[in-house]
Amino acid sequence: MRTPFYRHFGAFLAILAVTLGSAMADLTDDFTALQLRMNDTLLDVYAGEKIPPENTPAQGLKTLRGGLASDAAKAVIDRASAQAERQNVARQTGAARGAMQHVAALEMLRAQAVGQAAEARAWRACIALPKYANAVDGAMLLQQADIQHVKQPGVSRVLAREYISWQVMRARQLFDFLEQGVANGEATDAFVDAYSAEILSLTAFPAEILKTADLPATTQALPDHPALSAPFESEANQSALAQWRQNVEATLPNLLDPTDVTRLERLLVRFVKLVPREYRNGVHDGHITIMLEYREAKQFTEQSQALTNELAPVWRRDRTEAFTAHHQSLHEGLEALAMRIRRLAPPEAVEESAKKVQSLLEDEFQLSARRAGAKGDVIEETAIEVRTALIDSLAAAKADQWEEAESLRLDAYTSFDSEIEVRVLPRNSELGRRTERSFLDGTGHEPGIKALLDRHAPIEELTAGYERTLAALDESVGLLKVAVSPATITFTTFSIVAREGLEAVVVLAALLAGLRGAANAGTRRWISSGAWLALVASGITFWLSKTLIQSLARYGEKLEAVVSILAVIILLMVTNWVFHKFYWVGWNAKLRSLSKASQQNVSTRWEWLALLGVGFLTVYREGFETTLFMQSLLLEGSPKPVALGVLAAGAFIGLLGLAIFKFGAKLPYRKLLVVTGVLVVSIMVTFLGSTVRLFQTVGWIPIHPIEWLSLPAWTGVWLGLYPSWEGLLIPPLALVYVGGAWLWVRFQSRRSDAPAPRVEQPEKEVHSLAA
Amino acid sequence: MKKFRGITTLRFRAAAALALTLLQASSFSVHAETTGLAAIKSYLVGKVTTMHKASHDFVTNAAAYEKIVKASGGDYNQAVLKDGDELLGLITKMQGDYRAIHNTGYETIEGIVAGVKPLVDFDTYLDAGVPKSEASTDSPASPLVLKSADGKTIVDHNGNLFHYVMEPALWGTRAVYVRPLSPEASAKAKGIKVVPRADVLAAASLECARKIDELLAASQRWQPTLDECVGALVWMTPTLNGYFEDWKDSRYNPNAALGRYVAESRVVDMRGIMFSLQLSYKAIMPEIAKKDAALARKLEQDYASILSFIDKVEAREKRGNKLTVQEIEEMAYQAKAMTDQLVPRLKQVVAILSLKLPPKPILA
């Protein structure tokens, strides 16, 4: 019996996959082996050995070329090979070492762009890293399970910029090594040739990489090799080398635009200011008392040093006088600060060092921590604020200052929620919700910070909880380095507006359900006016939050909680109105009298205000929450995707609302009441659940998580269900209230032996009702 | 140089690739018990057991040495003149004991001991602790307080046991731990000018054995975790730079290390710590390979390159021709560049595996 074709084909595919994977591993192995061989070649040159032609770097590059997939990478090798013919072995080696970095980067970007994540990772692993390199962001982006996400141009941009920043750092380290060798009298012709060639090759970034990184092509030509001669340690040689370095540095890509420069300068000043405060919180009498605080002080110092290095080229160009006069002092000041922290010096000594650095930054470099002008990229600054608040919160908890700890936790959460969470959600909703929950109740066996603070948990548990949140915060900040696509922004906007709008439409439908007919036109008008007013108020709130009241977002949660509880009260009244014929009668009687009075232009102030307020609060609750989301989504980029999402959602809600009202108009009256009643009850429970969550978020009620219960994220979003005792027990109390009130009414009416009140039908509807 | 092999025959390469994959898979499953975290612990306990034996041999030899000196009324010249051969023989044995305890012992496990919180205090006590006056968070003060049998203080928070007491005493590089010999005694001792103080060796040997007993018990109790082992790699890998600097300085100035590192070439020390780091890495490599095979492979290559680099250094040193200044500088620079890359790669591992990087053990 012949073996089926599909079995042959399947085996072929399996073999092909293994073979190709193996071929990839071979190529990168060869690449690594060539890099190591070049290191040996340089040592042999220094030892005075002759290098056979077949072992020259140029020959090695040619052999590598055959396996490459990227045309741009092949072009790099062709250029290096052409130049090699005019170079001695030392220069060939240096130039080849630099060229190989570009080859690896180009192969990585090619593979990533076509979704070959494994190949992209393999090439990325071949790229040489400088000391203190941050290589996590790109690694995580290439780990994404969805290939469509991996292929995004945003990922290419991050990888390209990451690569350029690494090689710029490496070039500076090579500069330092070259200068040091020359100054110490250890340089030879071969040494100068090799390292100057490597620097020139490395800093000649291929146009394709610059383009992918959204950087302009280099307009300045690279200088030639430095013209040095023995004795290399002479003053003249050192000056010539310093000048050569400046000329090369001037051609380096500027990864910082003016906004970035301002932002980093602000961050630098803030970091230096925060160091003594964190240190004082974490170190007493030469001992570390709170490790988190000590580590923050150390980290902020290291980050200050890194920022100073990153800004140096910009300062050299734009603040030349200050740079020339004070850069060395700044560098030494930061080093002294770091040393004092390492030696666990008294806080006063650390403060003194920090103040010296601060004074240099503010007085000599004219830097300020204050935000100037329009709102820029606030992610990193917000992350610092959140981190600082969390660390301070933990310190307060350790000192048994639980209220202070909770207040600081809330500060941290508010900043996170308003600036970071809303940006994370469209990209990775699981991460956004997980991080949010780590501030509150947590998940499973990992309680959140609020839950821990509420029960005054032991310090080990508290520390673990805070560290989880800090780790999730870092993950969120890393994710935000990739821009979100306009389509995603539009979809997110649509989802948010549609969801919030739908809730308002259903409540309004329930309110207006019993108000049919001309007799109730005035009433309907007041309620509708309230609703329209709320739409306008939402728009004004949005405008205010973007202009005059930028810090509104900080109080967003508390304001939302207030608005939310008012809306819940209205819903309770509405629910009673649907279920209690007594109330219904009474309400209707009121409404009818109100309606007649309105026709006669006689109405009490509180009555029309109450109706206005009903319509207003129903819609404004949703509008306010939507405003908070919108202003953060707008910061992602162009307002067009947001506007498109709002328009689409508006049209959707409009059509749906029309359908609901039209459908409702055709329903028999009682059926309409039942349908809207069920909808209102379910929305009421959802509202109440969300309100309880809000109250817990702002710390007005405690949170007691149910550790054994795990609910998917959508139950919170759509049903207001969260796995805490308060979140599950309080919402059903509303049903108890409604049911209890109905029973009370029944009891009262039976006691009085009064006939059951008839349901009054609007006159017009009597004729249209089916039996 | 290894040349790039083109795909010459599809069938051959496919078969070879399949065979390789199957072989690797079978080797992982067959050696499951000896790979992974268990392998790290097994290695550690094995090495400490050897150190334990050597430390007790040291106690025996130090006691015998002291007995000879006491038999001469504490007069070292008399002891040498009377029992010089035996005395010198014991010194040679004790130097061998020290090599077994330190160079082929502790240095081959330092990467593990100093890198994990449950064991780091032993590193401070035995190998890394500095005098109190020099202490910082990167270099903690040694808690060692050593007293002789008659209660006199030999050392009080003034450095670790190996490099501030035992080594200087056994090799005579610190005057306070030795006794000078008269010309006659020196002649009898084949030109040796100083001999170690017996009371110092006796106290140091007992303390060394006691501490290594504790280390053995702690090693047996220790249950390594993935977080800890990756953390050890992150914190310990950069220390190699210090070894390369020491090696570089020793080429220019043999006295640069103030006599602390004369026992063996620093190359042996580098190999020892590098080996323990490489072993730790290989144990956790399968976990990394599940998420990022290329990164796992690159790290393996990096560690292997550093180890082979150390062999290259030794080979070049033994070639006969004196190393040029440029060769020394270049080798140190290349070594540092290789180790500098490991930490960012390891931090990628932490992120990819969602591990929690423990704080630096001496700070925790």
Side-chain angles (χ1 to χ4, degrees):
Chain A
M1 182 176 158
R2 288 182 65 190
T3 311
F5 167 74
Y6 67 83
R7 285 194 186 166
H8 282 301
F9 188 67
F12 171 76
L13 284 179
I15 291 170
L16 191 65
V18 170
T19 303
L20 288 175
S22 175
M24 184 66 238
D26 278 339
L27 183 55
T28 50
D29 280 352
D30 287 338
F31 185 94
T32 303
L34 181 56
Q35 285 179 309
L36 292 173
R37 181 69 199 117
M38 287 189 189
N39 289 346
D40 289 342
T41 300
L42 195 54
L43 286 171
D44 293 339
V45 168
Y46 289 159
E49 293 178 20
K50 194 165 165 44
I51 313 299
E54 63 273 16
N55 284 349
T56 58
Q59 197 56 40
L61 284 179
K62 280 181 189 165
T63 312
L64 192 66
R65 188 189 188 283
L68 299 178
S70 158
D71 290 335
K74 289 176 189 171
V76 167
I77 289 187
D78 293 340
R79 273 195 297 277
S81 300
Q83 284 170 355
E85 289 165 13
R86 302 186 293 276
Q87 293 171 328
N88 58 39
V89 176
R91 280 195 184 181
Q92 268 188 51
T93 306
R97 293 205 301 196
M100 287 185 78
Q101 297 307 309
H102 300 321
V103 165
L106 287 163
E107 287 289 313
M108 170 190 70
L109 290 171
R110 184 213 65 85
Q112 174 267 326
V114 298
Q116 290 170 352
E119 198 175 325
R121 287 196 291 265
W123 281 109
R124 188 168 180 275
C126 290
I127 298 172
L129 301 176
K131 201 172 182 182
Y132 306 127
N134 177 4
V136 169
D137 296 341
M140 296 307 289
L141 288 171
L142 288 176
Q143 281 286 320
Q144 295 177 96
D146 188 342
I147 288 299
Q148 297 309 314
H149 286 162
V150 172
K151 284 165 71 169
Q152 277 185 59
V155 174
S156 306
R157 186 176 182 274
V158 169
L159 291 174
R161 289 178 81 97
E162 198 183 52
Y163 169 74
I164 290 172
S165 74
W166 291 343
Q167 301 315 320
V168 166
M169 282 170 71
R170 282 192 68 236
R172 294 205 169 107
Q173 287 168 7
L174 290 167
F175 273 129
D176 291 341
F177 184 58
L178 178 59
E179 284 179 328
Q180 190 185 357
V182 166
N184 291 345
E186 291 153 1
T188 58
D189 285 315
F191 173 78
V192 173
D193 279 348
Y195 278 93
S196 59
E198 186 170 0
I199 290 167
L200 286 172
S201 173
L202 201 57
T203 51
F205 289 99
E208 293 80 3
I209 297 180
L210 292 171
K211 191 175 165 198
T212 306
D214 276 341
L215 292 169
T218 313
T219 50
Q220 281 178 281
L222 273 171
D224 286 332
H225 288 263
L228 308 182
S229 54
F232 290 99
E233 64 272 26
S234 69
E235 290 285 335
N237 275 337
Q238 290 185 56
S239 287
L241 190 59
Q243 184 59 50
W244 180 76
R245 177 172 182 165
Q246 284 206 14
N247 295 343
V248 174
E249 290 248 20
T251 68
L252 291 176
N254 182 16
L255 287 163
L256 306 173
D257 61 30
T259 317
D260 285 329
V261 171
T262 310
R263 177 176 58 85
L264 291 180
E265 286 176 344
R266 261 201 324 263
L267 272 175
L268 173 58
V269 175
R270 289 196 67 175
F271 279 146
V272 173
K273 267 191 184 156
L274 284 169
V275 166
R277 182 173 134 196
E278 303 293 344
Y279 187 83
R280 191 175 286 279
N281 282 345
V283 176
H284 290 285
D285 291 332
H287 298 287
I288 300 171
T289 51
I290 303 176
M291 178 53 69
L292 263 178
E293 301 271 10
Y294 175 77
R295 281 212 305 263
E296 288 285 290
K298 212 163 171 241
Q299 252 174 345
F300 284 158
T301 308
E302 285 165 6
Q303 283 174 301
S304 300
Q305 288 172 306
L307 280 172
T308 308
N309 289 335
E310 202 174 342
L311 288 165
V314 177
W315 287 341
R316 187 186 272 125
R317 187 191 64 215
D318 299 339
R319 296 176 194 269
T320 314
E321 258 186 60
F323 182 81
T324 310
H326 301 290
H327 186 248
Q328 188 58 29
S329 306
L330 181 62
H331 176 76
E332 285 164 5
L334 283 168
E335 192 50 49
L337 177 61
M339 176 74 73
R340 282 183 166 176
I341 290 172
R342 276 200 299 275
R343 293 233 163 121
L344 295 178
E348 298 75 31
V350 168
E351 185 146 8
E352 189 203 344
S353 284
K355 277 202 167 123
K356 278 188 185 158
V357 173
Q358 197 178 326
S359 161
L360 278 171
L361 291 172
E362 290 178 348
D363 299 336
E364 308 301 341
F365 284 86
Q366 307 290 313
L367 304 186
S368 164
R370 283 193 303 277
R371 214 180 281 181
K375 212 170 176 182
D377 183 355
V378 298
I379 304 296
E380 283 187 12
E381 288 196 39
T382 305
I384 297 171
E385 282 173 18
V386 173
R387 289 189 74 86
T388 308
L390 282 175
I391 304 277
D392 289 347
S393 172
L394 177 61
K398 284 187 173 180
D400 284 333
Q401 292 163 6
W402 299 102
E403 281 186 24
E404 170 78 1
E406 167 56 21
S407 170
L408 287 162
R409 179 207 68 83
L410 183 57
D411 278 348
Y413 172 73
T414 312
S415 298
F416 164 77
D417 179 62
S418 58
E419 300 287 2
I420 298 181
E421 186 191 355
V422 288
R423 289 176 165 88
V424 171
L425 284 173
R427 294 165 164 85
N428 186 338
S429 58
E430 185 275 332
L431 173 61
R433 300 207 190 284
R434 174 165 45 90
T435 312
E436 184 202 35
R437 292 185 76 162
S438 72
F439 280 89
L440 300 168
D441 50 350
T443 51
H445 297 293
E446 293 182 338
I449 295 176
K450 180 162 170 53
L452 292 166
L453 288 175
D454 281 347
R455 65 175 165 88
H456 294 193
I459 218 63
E460 293 79 19
E461 275 191 67
L462 269 172
T463 306
Y466 278 86
E467 289 197 339
R468 278 194 291 275
T469 304
L470 287 168
L473 175 68
D474 286 343
E475 208 180 327
S476 300
V477 170
L479 183 67
L480 292 179
K481 292 193 177 171
V482 180
V484 71
S485 68
T488 308
I489 295 176
T490 301
F491 179 74
T492 306
T493 309
F494 175 87
S495 307
I496 292 168
V497 176
R499 187 184 74 222
E500 306 296 341
L502 193 60
E503 286 179 358
V505 163
V506 171
V507 173
L508 279 176
L511 276 176
L512 298 171
L515 296 171
R516 299 177 183 173
N520 296 317
T523 311
R524 287 201 304 275
R525 199 163 44 241
W526 282 117
I527 294 176
S528 305
S529 300
W532 284 111
L533 203 58
L535 280 176
V536 172
S538 299
I540 293 173
T541 307
F542 177 75
W543 176 74
L544 282 174
S545 69
K546 277 183 66 60
T547 54
L548 297 177
I549 316 176
Q550 285 196 352
S551 58
L552 180 71
R554 289 190 154 271
Y555 303 100
E557 298 278 353
K558 285 187 178 164
L559 286 173
E560 199 182 331
V562 169
V563 174
S564 200
I565 196 65
L566 290 173
V568 164
I569 292 169
I570 289 167
L571 268 180
L572 281 172
M573 288 171 58
V574 169
T575 312
N576 268 330
W577 170 48
V578 172
F579 276 97
H580 299 264
K581 294 172 184 173
F582 176 78
Y583 276 82
W584 160 247
V585 171
W587 183 253
N588 251 354
K590 265 281 188 241
L591 283 177
R592 278 206 306 278
S593 68
L594 198 64
S595 169
K596 281 181 186 164
S598 70
Q599 285 173 11
Q600 295 162 13
N601 289 324
V602 173
S603 64
T604 58
R605 191 172 293 175
W606 76 266
E607 284 165 343
W608 66 256
L609 198 60
L611 287 171
L612 201 71
V614 160
F616 181 87
L617 282 171
T618 302
V619 174
Y620 188 65
R621 181 193 180 277
E622 313 301 340
F624 185 81
E625 196 175 350
T626 308
T627 295
L628 296 181
F629 276 117
M630 290 305 109
Q631 61 173 315
S632 293
L633 278 173
L634 279 170
L635 289 171
E636 292 294 340
S638 157
K640 276 186 199 164
V642 176
L644 193 61
V646 170
L647 284 172
F652 172 74
I653 294 165
L655 285 170
L656 195 64
L658 206 62
I660 289 174
F661 283 109
K662 281 224 177 286
F663 174 72
K666 290 189 174 124
L667 267 185
Y669 193 61
R670 280 184 187 277
K671 277 190 185 172
L672 175 65
L673 285 184
V674 170
V675 168
T676 51
V678 168
L679 282 172
V680 166
V681 166
S682 59
I683 287 181
M684 181 191 68
V685 174
T686 305
F687 262 29
L688 206 46
S690 302
T691 304
V692 166
R693 185 68 169 179
L694 269 171
F695 272 48
Q696 289 172 323
T697 302
V698 300
W700 289 350
I701 61 175
I703 188 164
H704 294 91
I706 305 171
E707 289 182 17
W708 47 264
L709 179 62
S710 177
L711 294 174
W714 62 265
T715 58
V717 173
W718 291 100
L719 303 176
L721 283 178
Y722 297 91
S724 68
W725 290 111
E726 296 87 355
L728 291 187
L729 291 177
I730 293 177
L733 290 179
L735 292 173
V736 171
Y737 165 74
V738 170
W742 180 75
L743 282 171
W744 173 253
V745 166
R746 292 279 301 224
F747 174 70
Q748 288 284 69
S749 69
R750 279 181 184 174
R751 258 187 69 181
S752 67
D753 212 22
R758 279 184 57 215
V759 174
E760 301 267 357
Q761 303 288 343
E763 288 173 15
K764 269 198 176 173
E765 293 299 329
V766 170
H767 303 297
S768 66
L769 275 178
Chain B
M1 186 191 73
K2 182 174 147 190
K3 291 190 187 298
F4 174 61
R5 298 187 293 275
I7 301 175
T8 52
T9 309
L10 180 63
R11 277 188 198 171
F12 172 75
R13 288 188 61 79
L18 266 173
L20 187 64
T21 308
L22 289 169
L23 192 63
Q24 283 174 338
S26 67
S27 69
F28 279 140
S29 61
V30 165
H31 298 293
E33 286 182 4
T34 55
T35 54
L37 301 176
I40 299 175
K41 179 170 172 172
S42 171
Y43 171 80
L44 175 69
V45 170
K47 284 289 181 176
V48 178
T49 304
T50 307
M51 287 166 62
H52 174 259
K53 181 183 175 307
S55 69
H56 285 276
D57 288 344
F58 184 35
V59 169
T60 306
N61 293 328
Y65 181 86
E66 190 178 33
K67 192 175 171 188
I68 294 174
V69 170
K70 277 185 175 170
S72 295
D75 185 337
Y76 287 83
N77 291 318
Q78 277 300 315
V80 168
L81 288 168
K82 191 173 153 198
D83 296 302
D85 289 341
E86 194 178 348
L87 213 65
L88 294 178
L90 282 168
I91 293 173
T92 303
K93 275 187 185 174
M94 286 188 286
Q95 288 176 338
D97 292 335
Y98 178 80
R99 286 193 187 90
I101 294 168
H102 176 261
N103 297 85
T104 57
Y106 188 77
E107 286 292 322
T108 65
I109 57 169
E110 184 181 1
I112 300 168
V113 174
V116 300
K117 188 168 180 320
L119 303 174
V120 67
D121 289 343
F122 292 100
D123 182 63
T124 307
Y125 196 93
L126 293 171
D127 189 71
V130 299
K132 203 172 173 184
S133 57
E134 297 171 24
S136 69
T137 51
D138 290 330
S139 302
S142 169
L144 173 66
V145 176
L146 192 64
K147 294 191 178 191
S148 60
D150 55 6
K152 285 186 188 152
T153 301
I154 297 170
V155 66
D156 184 353
H157 294 89
N158 205 26
N160 60 72
L161 185 59
F162 286 161
H163 301 295
Y164 284 79
V165 182
M166 287 168 64
E167 193 170 298
L170 285 168
W171 274 270
T173 54
R174 201 154 171 223
V176 70
Y177 294 148
V178 298
R179 286 287 178 264
L181 294 177
S182 64
E184 296 78 20
S186 180
K188 178 77 195 287
K190 296 167 190 167
I192 291 173
K193 293 187 171 23
V194 296
V195 290
R197 273 170 55 185
D199 58 333
V200 171
L201 290 182
S205 67
L206 287 169
E207 185 59 17
C208 179
R210 185 188 72 81
K211 207 64 185 171
I212 291 175
D213 286 348
E214 283 180 13
L215 177 57
L216 181 59
S219 304
Q220 286 163 340
R221 275 195 309 268
W222 179 50
Q223 295 299 329
T225 64
L226 194 58
D227 294 7
E228 263 181 336
C229 292
V230 175
L233 290 171
V234 168
W235 300 123
M236 294 309 297
T237 298
T239 62
L240 287 171
N241 283 348
Y243 283 86
F244 292 125
E245 274 300 313
D246 283 344
W247 169 80
K248 196 176 79 162
D249 290 339
S250 70
R251 293 304 95 209
Y252 292 135
N253 178 9
N255 295 324
L258 298 172
R260 292 206 297 276
Y261 303 124
V262 299
E264 287 286 348
S265 161
R266 286 300 269 162
V267 171
V268 173
D269 291 346
M270 277 192 275
R271 185 179 285 122
I273 189 170
M274 196 54 238
F275 185 76
S276 65
L277 292 176
Q278 190 191 41
L279 178 91
S280 299
Y281 175 70
K282 281 190 167 175
I284 62 176
M285 185 179 158
E287 286 303 311
I288 304 168
K290 285 177 194 168
K291 289 280 188 122
D292 192 334
L295 182 61
R297 192 179 172 78
K298 181 64 182 162
L299 278 163
E300 185 189 28
Q301 286 171 342
D302 286 346
Y303 278 110
S305 296
I306 294 175
L307 255 184
S308 70
F309 175 84
I310 293 166
D311 290 331
K312 271 189 223 170
V313 163
E314 207 177 28
R316 280 186 181 259
E317 280 189 304
K318 286 178 180 168
R319 240 178 7 190
N321 295 332
K322 197 174 170 208
L323 293 175
T324 63
V325 166
Q326 290 75 34
E327 276 181 278
I328 294 169
E329 291 293 333
E330 180 65 26
M331 280 193 282
Y333 187 77
Q334 285 181 12
K336 283 192 242 176
M338 272 194 274
T339 54
D340 284 346
Q341 294 191 76
L342 286 170
V343 171
R345 296 203 207 283
L346 288 166
K347 287 189 173 173
Q348 288 180 71
V349 167
V350 170
I352 288 168
L353 295 181
S354 302
L355 297 177
K356 188 179 155 190
L357 185 66
K360 200 168 180 184
I362 51 169
L363 294 180

